[in-house]
Amino acid sequence: MKFDEIKTSSWSRDTYGVQPALTQATVADAEQVLGLRLSESLLDLLRMQNGGGVAADRDAFPTSQPTSWSEDHIPFTELMGIGTGGHGLSLLDTPYLVEELGLPSPVVLLSGDGHYWIGLDYRSCGALGEPSVTWFDTDSGADLPLAADFRAFVEGLQPLSGFE
């Protein structure tokens, strides 16, 4: 499935973690706080809904090697939005989390639970480039490249139920 078809049906009905609607000012402020340019495909998805639960048919990503989570996949049950309202974490919590957990930088954390994080990885492309998507295991310190960019990551999402 192509990204433009997926983005309109990516969200669950759960409103936990949903931030106020995304504005250009919100994006500009976030990019200033984070010190980098956010992926346009991520922003396209967040303009549909600014964070929250992911639809059940797109809540896992297959992996080529085992992780602390599973032999062949990782969960992607929610995507953090941009903002300071609402419940849960926001992309704006990334600087604190990266420092607190000793994660590599520069990254933008998209989803996770403290033991693991899925993030936009700017280490190779720089602050203005198109970041890859990486799995960061905070317990082992390992990281696993998942997709060349956010669009490819979203297009590769599958139902978690298909792995169990």
Side-chain angles (χ1 to χ4, degrees):
M1 229 177 166
K2 292 293 176 216
F3 181 80
D4 290 333
E5 299 165 20
I6 295 166
K7 74 179 182 184
T8 59
S9 61
S10 290
W11 301 104
S12 74
R13 290 200 165 91
D14 181 12
T15 59
Y16 183 83
V18 178
Q19 299 285 339
L22 206 57
T23 65
Q24 276 309 110
T26 308
V27 172
D29 290 348
E31 290 180 336
Q32 186 173 5
V33 166
L34 297 169
L36 42 77
R37 193 182 76 218
L38 291 167
S39 166
E40 198 54 46
S41 53
L42 170 64
L43 295 174
D44 283 349
L45 195 57
L46 293 179
R47 285 181 186 109
M48 304 300 290
Q49 179 178 302
N50 192 5
V54 175
D57 63 339
R58 314 220 49 86
D59 58 356
F61 191 86
T63 58
S64 57
Q65 62 190 63
T67 66
S68 58
W69 177 263
S70 163
E71 289 294 313
D72 61 356
H73 70 282
I74 56 159
F76 189 69
T77 55
E78 63 187 20
L79 173 62
M80 294 189 294
I82 300 171
T84 55
H87 303 285
L89 294 171
S90 157
L91 299 184
L92 299 176
D93 292 308
T94 293
Y96 166 78
L97 292 167
V98 164
E99 186 174 329
E100 184 70 19
L101 300 169
L103 294 170
S105 186
V107 299
V108 174
L109 302 178
L110 303 174
S111 184
D113 73 355
H115 298 284
Y116 70 84
W117 292 95
I118 298 163
L120 297 177
D121 190 343
Y122 288 82
R123 291 178 291 177
S124 295
C125 68
L128 299 177
E130 184 63 34
S132 59
V133 178
T134 301
W135 164 270
F136 299 98
D137 188 316
T138 54
D139 294 335
S140 72
D143 55 90
L144 174 66
L146 299 172
D149 57 35
F150 186 73
R151 178 180 294 261
F153 177 76
V154 170
E155 290 175 347
L157 290 169
Q158 300 176 11
L160 186 59
S161 61
F163 291 99
E164 296 167 356

